[in-house]
């Protein structure tokens, strides 16, 4: 069964004349509500259970398409491996230097992370991505 996120993206793909295959739907269902920031390999490992013939190339291509239409964002913490976030709202990420876990970091309610007026010399900022690096609570306590 597909929920809101999956249905919305299916409509968007169809509206742009792109194919909506069972494999793409399975990838969308995997991403829906997923806060783990999975890699291509993570997604493939799960989706292959339902679709044993799905290739890594299909997963890569689907994620590339979703990134192009801005329905997911890629997180590049390691040049050899991207992670994907289906939450495209404005937020940043905290990355653990030990276990490599990725957590969402949202701006304070008061907007105190706003770029000061004039600091950009007239450059219009459309988006920003900040990576905070450190050691997560779990790694610090073990």
């Amino acid at each position: 069964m597909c929920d809101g996120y999956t249905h919305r993206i299916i409509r968007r793909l169809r509206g742009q004349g792109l194919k909506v295959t069972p494999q793409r739907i399975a990838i969308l269902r995997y991403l829906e509500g997923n806060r783990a920031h999975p890699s291509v390999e993570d997604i493939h490992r799960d989706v292959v259970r339902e679709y044993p013939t799905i290739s890594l190339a299909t997963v890569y291509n689907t994620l590339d398409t979703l990134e192009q239409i801005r329905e997911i964002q890629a997180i590049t913490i390691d040049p050899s491996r991207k992670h994907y976030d289906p939450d495209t709202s404005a937020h940043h990420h905290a990355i653990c230097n030990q276990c490599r876990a990725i957590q969402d970091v949202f701006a304070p309610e008061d907007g105190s992370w706003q770029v000061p007026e004039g600091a950009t010399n007239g450059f219009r900022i459309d988006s920003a991505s900040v990576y905070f690096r450190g050691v997560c609570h779990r790694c610090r306590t073990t």
Side-chain angles (χ1 to χ4, degrees):
M1 184 168 136
C2 301
D3 293 327
Y5 172 85
T6 302
H7 278 305
R8 181 177 58 77
I9 296 176
I10 287 171
R11 283 191 306 272
R12 182 121 190 256
L13 290 168
R14 286 185 177 142
Q16 294 190 13
L18 299 169
K19 291 181 182 179
V20 178
T21 64
Q23 293 85 354
R24 279 190 172 173
I25 293 171
I27 292 167
L28 291 172
R29 283 194 314 237
Y30 178 87
L31 290 172
E32 186 160 359
N34 190 316
R35 307 297 291 187
H37 305 89
S39 67
V40 171
E41 294 81 7
D42 296 330
I43 297 166
H44 181 261
R45 188 174 32 256
D46 188 74
V47 174
V48 77
R49 292 180 188 140
E50 187 177 353
Y51 294 95
T53 60
I54 193 169
S55 67
L56 270 173
T58 297
V59 178
Y60 272 108
N61 292 337
T62 298
L63 294 172
D64 186 52
T65 297
L66 294 173
E67 189 177 3
Q68 286 178 21
I69 64 171
R70 297 179 182 205
E71 289 295 345
I72 60 171
Q73 58 178 308
I75 303 167
T76 308
I77 58 172
D78 173 352
S80 64
R81 178 185 235 189
K82 286 183 181 179
H83 291 261
Y84 295 90
D85 190 348
D87 182 352
T88 58
S89 68
H91 68 282
H92 305 297
H93 295 94
I95 301 157
C96 179
N97 290 328
Q98 291 183 9
C99 70
R100 310 299 284 169
I102 304 168
Q103 298 176 353
D104 292 332
V105 178
F106 294 90
E109 297 265 335
D110 66 1
S112 60
W113 288 359
Q114 298 295 324
V115 176
E117 185 122 0
T120 59
N121 293 326
F123 186 84
R124 186 188 82 220
I125 297 174
D126 293 325
S127 66
S129 182
V130 175
Y131 298 148
F132 298 95
R133 296 183 185 272
V135 180
C136 72
H137 177 73
R138 190 180 68 208
C139 289
R140 281 194 335 255
T141 59
T142 55

